[in-house]
Amino acid sequence: MAQPVTKVLVIGYVWPEPRSSAASGHVMQILETFLQQGWDITFSSPAGPGEHKADLAVLGIREVSIELNNSSFDVFISELAPDIVLFDQFMMEEQFGWRVEKHCPEALRVLETSDLQSLRHARHQRLKDRLKANSDQDDFSELFAPALREEFELMADTDLAKREIAALYRCDLNLMISEVEIELLVEQFGLPRQLLHWCPLMVELPSAPARAFADREHFLSIGNFRHAPNWDAVLWMKTTVWPLIRQQLPDAQLHIYGAYTPPKATALHNAAQGFHIMNWAEDALQVMSAARVCLAPLRFGAGIKGKLVDAMLCGTPSVTTPIGAEGMYGDHPWPGAVAHNACDIADSAVRLYKDQTLWQAAQQAGTMLLSERYQYAVHGQALIEKLRYCQQHLQILRTSNFTGSMLRHHFHKSTQYMSQWIEAKNRHSPTD
C-alpha cells in the first residue's frame, strides 16, 4: 500500500530570491530537496513579492499569501493539515507558531535559521563601538574570531538573542548553516544538541573545468546591498582596502555587484579610481567566473557566506576576514587568503592577482573544499533522514525538550490573547 505524500508548509519571511541572497538560495536548496522526495509543498509569506522573486509555481510549489494577525490563516492551515511546518527565520515562528500549535499540534516544527541574527547584530554593535572609540581603519583583529564565551556575553543580555533562542527551543528541529553557531548554542546557551542540525549551503560540483588564470581580469565583490555586513564591506573597501590595492596595481579594477543598489552605493562609483558599482548581476556565477580574485572584507556577520561558496564553484580565489571564513573550511586550507587587517587583505589580494602558481593552488583548494563540505547529495540525504527520524520519534523528542514545551505553552497562550485583541480592535472603527 502506497504511503501518503508528506505535506510541507513553508512560512517565509520573504519570497525566495536566490539570485539576490544566499539565504534565499539556501531555502531553494531545501525546497528542491523536498521536491526530490515527491513531497507536496506550499510556500506562504506575509511579504510582498520582491523584484527578483523565484517562480515557485513552475517547480510545482503552491504559493499562498498570508497576513499577520489575521485569523484567515487558521482556516488555511486547518484545511492544509501539513505534516511538516518550516519557519523561514525565527520571526515567522513568533508570528505564526502559536497558530500552528493550535491547529496542527502534531506537525513537525522546523526552523531554518539562515544565520544567528542575534550574533550578527551583536557583532555589528561591537564594530560600531570600535569605530567610535578608535579611528584606525586598518586593524580590526580584536573583532575577529573571539572566544565563544565572549560572543555569548556580547549576546546574552540582548532582546534579540532572548527572542531567537526561545524560538529555537520551541521548534522540534533547527537547521543551522554554521558549525560555529552550533557550538555557540550548545556550549554557551545550553541548547540540547539534538535540536540542531548542520545543514550548510548545498551545491552540485562543477562538471567543467574553471576558467584559467590568463582568461580572467579584475577584482570582484558581490552581495545584496540591503544586507548590512555587505554594505559595511563596500565602505571599508572604498575608504581603505581598495586604495591600498591601487597603490600596488595602479590599473586595477574592482567591480561591485549587488541587488537593490541604493543611491548611497551608486554615489561611490568612481571609474577614475577603478571602483565600479555595477548594480545587480543577472548571472552571479558568470561574473564571478570572469573575475580573477573575489574580495569579501567582512567586518561583522554570521552564518556562512554564499558569495564565497560561489567563488569556489567558479574557481575564483577569495580574500576575506576570519568573520567571512568562519564555519566554512574546517581543517582545510582556505582557497585564497584570510586576513585580519586592511593592509594584509590588500597585500594578499595583490599576490593572488599577480602570482599564477599561488592562484592555481587556491583554485584547487576551493574545489577540494566543495567536495569535502558542500555536496548537495550528502547534505540533502542527511536532512531528509533527520526529518524522518524526528517525525518517527516526535513525542519522545518533545518530552525530552521540556524547556521548549514550557516556552511554547506560555508564549503561544499570551500571543493568542494579544492576537485576538488586535483582531477585535481592527474590526471596530475608532468611534465604536
Side-chain angles (χ1 to χ4, degrees):
M1 183 176 179
Q3 294 292 320
V5 175
T6 297
K7 290 191 288 185
V8 180
L9 170 64
V10 181
I11 304 177
Y13 181 67
V14 295
W15 295 95
E17 295 189 15
R19 293 185 295 173
S20 298
S21 74
S24 283
H26 194 232
V27 169
M28 292 300 296
Q29 291 164 3
I30 293 170
L31 293 177
E32 289 165 5
T33 301
F34 293 168
L35 287 171
Q36 288 184 4
Q37 302 302 310
W39 291 358
D40 182 278
I41 307 172
T42 301
F43 194 102
S44 61
S45 177
E51 184 179 345
H52 309 299
K53 172 185 170 297
D55 189 347
L56 300 180
V58 169
L59 301 175
I61 299 173
R62 281 186 298 278
E63 300 180 353
V64 178
S65 295
I66 55 178
E67 296 181 15
L68 301 175
N69 298 315
N70 193 316
S71 58
S72 62
F73 182 84
D74 298 354
V75 177
F76 160 64
I77 194 170
S78 295
E79 293 178 349
L80 183 63
D83 303 296
I84 299 174
V85 176
L86 176 70
F87 302 102
D88 172 29
Q89 302 194 29
F90 82 90
M91 295 84 76
M92 293 298 94
E93 190 280 335
E94 284 186 326
Q95 292 290 338
F96 296 98
W98 71 269
R99 295 187 187 273
V100 173
E101 177 80 1
K102 179 180 178 181
H103 299 285
C104 301
E106 299 306 313
L108 181 69
R109 302 158 59 96
V110 183
L111 175 58
E112 153 64 354
T113 60
S114 295
D115 63 14
L116 274 182
Q117 296 188 39
S118 52
L119 175 61
R120 170 159 41 88
H121 282 261
R123 285 174 167 174
H124 194 184
Q125 186 58 51
R126 182 168 58 194
L127 173 62
K128 292 176 182 177
D129 294 342
R130 156 65 173 77
L131 292 173
K132 287 180 182 179
N134 188 340
S135 61
D136 173 43
Q137 288 288 323
D138 177 48
D139 190 359
F140 292 86
S141 56
E142 75 272 20
L143 304 186
F144 299 146
L148 293 181
R149 185 65 191 179
E150 293 180 48
E151 299 285 33
F152 169 75
E153 292 172 354
L154 190 69
M155 300 165 62
D157 288 335
T158 66
D159 175 74
L160 190 62
K162 292 170 183 175
R163 290 171 52 203
E164 188 168 25
I165 302 302
L168 297 178
Y169 266 113
R170 288 193 297 264
C171 289
D172 301 307
L173 187 67
N174 299 279
L175 307 185
M176 307 301 302
I177 204 167
S178 168
E179 292 168 305
V180 172
E181 293 179 1
I182 291 177
E183 295 309 308
L184 174 64
L185 291 171
V186 172
E187 295 179 9
Q188 301 301 323
F189 286 93
L191 263 78
R193 195 175 290 271
Q194 69 183 23
L195 291 180
L196 310 173
H197 177 71
W198 182 45
C199 184
L201 297 174
M202 302 179 284
V203 299
E204 300 281 359
L205 299 181
S207 57
R211 290 175 67 170
F213 177 88
D215 296 331
R216 297 168 180 253
E217 60 180 352
H218 307 320
F219 294 88
L220 173 139
S221 185
I222 193 167
N224 191 326
F225 284 108
R226 289 179 176 175
H227 191 52
N230 292 337
W231 172 239
D232 176 75
V234 170
L235 292 178
W236 196 28
M237 284 189 289
K238 175 68 174 181
T239 61
T240 308
V241 176
W242 186 244
L244 292 172
I245 292 176
R246 286 276 286 194
Q247 286 177 13
Q248 301 182 61
L249 296 174
D251 296 326
Q253 304 290 312
L254 172 60
H255 294 172
I256 300 176
Y257 293 88
Y260 300 105
T261 310
K264 64 181 181 180
T266 305
L268 299 179
H269 179 87
N270 189 319
Q273 297 174 355
F275 198 89
H276 300 270
I277 302 297
M278 308 295 289
N279 298 317
W280 184 64
E282 182 71 29
D283 186 335
L285 296 182
Q286 182 181 47
V287 297
M288 183 70 79
S289 295
R292 187 173 291 178
V293 175
C294 171
L295 296 179
L298 297 161
R299 293 191 288 189
F300 73 98
I304 63 176
K305 314 304 180 291
K307 61 176 70 64
L308 296 176
V309 172
D310 284 349
M312 296 178 216
L313 282 170
C314 297
T316 307
S318 59
V319 180
T320 188
T321 64
I323 290 290
E326 181 181 82
M328 292 199 66
Y329 62 114
D331 298 327
H332 300 274
W334 183 256
V338 178
H340 292 74
N341 57 66
C343 288
D344 287 348
I345 290 171
D347 289 346
S348 297
V350 170
R351 283 196 298 272
L352 278 168
Y353 197 86
K354 296 170 62 176
D355 188 332
Q356 182 172 350
T357 301
L358 183 66
W359 187 92
Q360 288 173 336
Q363 185 181 74
Q364 292 167 5
T367 301
M368 179 63 69
L369 191 53
L370 286 178
S371 176
E372 293 293 328
R373 290 178 64 86
Y374 297 101
Q375 286 205 55
Y376 180 90
V378 173
H379 292 291
Q381 180 180 350
L383 174 59
I384 296 301
E385 290 176 355
K386 185 67 173 183
L387 292 174
R388 286 175 172 161
Y389 175 87
C390 289
Q391 285 184 292
Q392 293 167 4
H393 301 87
L394 185 56
Q395 292 310 313
I396 295 174
L397 293 173
R398 286 183 174 176
T399 299
S400 64
N401 180 23
F402 177 78
T403 300
S405 177
M406 177 178 62
L407 288 171
R408 263 200 319 274
H409 173 79
H410 289 287
F411 179 78
H412 293 159
K413 286 292 184 184
S414 61
T415 306
Q416 178 180 357
Y417 297 148
M418 178 60 71
S419 180
Q420 290 171 346
W421 180 83
I422 292 173
E423 288 185 27
K425 185 174 183 293
N426 290 340
R427 283 195 298 267
H428 296 85
S429 68
T431 56
D432 285 344

